[in-house]
Amino acid sequence: MIDELYSARILKLAANLPHSGRLAAPEGTGERVAKLCGSKAIVDVTLDETGRVLAFAQDVKACALGQAAAGVLGETVIGASLDELLEARDAMSAMLKGGSDGPTGRFEGLRALKQVADYPARHASAMVAVEATLEAVRQALARKGPDTRTSLAGAA
């Protein structure tokens, strides 16, 4: 089990955590904890005028699976929209629970966690960074007000 779950790719992603730390003045902060294992992610973001991620920082205390997902996010999240994050979350969840191929586009790197599908007890730890990022972006959008949400609807 361990060799299958903790592949070289997972371990490499886990060892590289871009944008570690916290932002000095975030517009949104999200926090998620996987209750079963205690994996935890705190994410801070600021958004540009169109609601895309401009700055991102993450404080992740997680197993290799949670760290690996956070590593992918850290590499790719700058410039992402809420819709892209929602699509990635939904595709990752479908990959873990339903055997789909997983995220495409910007967040395709999350497919490295596909083998986690066989270990349901590990699904939550693989999702903590993604869920925390979504929470942070939603909070930042809410603080920016309706003008940002309107411009997002027009850009879609």
Side-chain angles (χ1 to χ4, degrees):
M1 171 187 145
I2 295 297
D3 289 341
E4 292 172 20
L5 193 55
Y6 296 104
S7 67
R9 173 82 173 127
I10 295 277
L11 295 175
K12 183 178 178 185
L13 285 168
N16 176 33
L17 196 61
H19 303 286
S20 289
R22 303 290 307 270
L23 295 180
E27 294 173 335
T29 298
E31 182 175 339
R32 286 292 191 270
V33 176
K35 293 177 184 170
L36 185 63
C37 68
S39 289
K40 180 178 181 179
I42 301 172
V43 171
D44 294 327
V45 298
T46 60
L47 306 178
D48 68 15
E49 64 281 351
T50 66
R52 293 182 174 275
V53 177
L54 179 66
F56 171 87
Q58 57 186 346
D59 182 11
V60 180
K61 308 280 191 278
C63 66
L65 302 173
Q67 291 276 136
V72 171
L73 281 172
E75 291 174 352
T76 57
V77 73
I78 302 297
S81 68
L82 176 64
D83 287 343
E84 288 176 299
L85 286 160
L86 286 167
E87 287 172 16
R89 189 265 325 261
D90 293 347
M92 188 166 173
S93 182
M95 175 182 77
L96 294 175
K97 295 177 182 175
S100 76
D101 288 336
T104 58
R106 177 189 300 270
F107 297 108
E108 187 171 335
L110 291 169
R111 289 180 175 196
L113 295 154
K114 188 171 178 80
Q115 67 268 26
V116 178
D118 295 334
Y119 305 94
R122 302 298 189 149
H123 291 184
S125 62
M127 296 293 292
V128 291
V130 175
E131 293 290 354
T133 302
L134 273 168
E135 182 181 346
V137 169
R138 284 181 174 134
Q139 187 181 97
L141 285 169
R143 286 188 175 152
K144 284 189 171 286
D147 291 339
T148 303
R149 288 189 294 273
T150 302
S151 68
L152 284 174

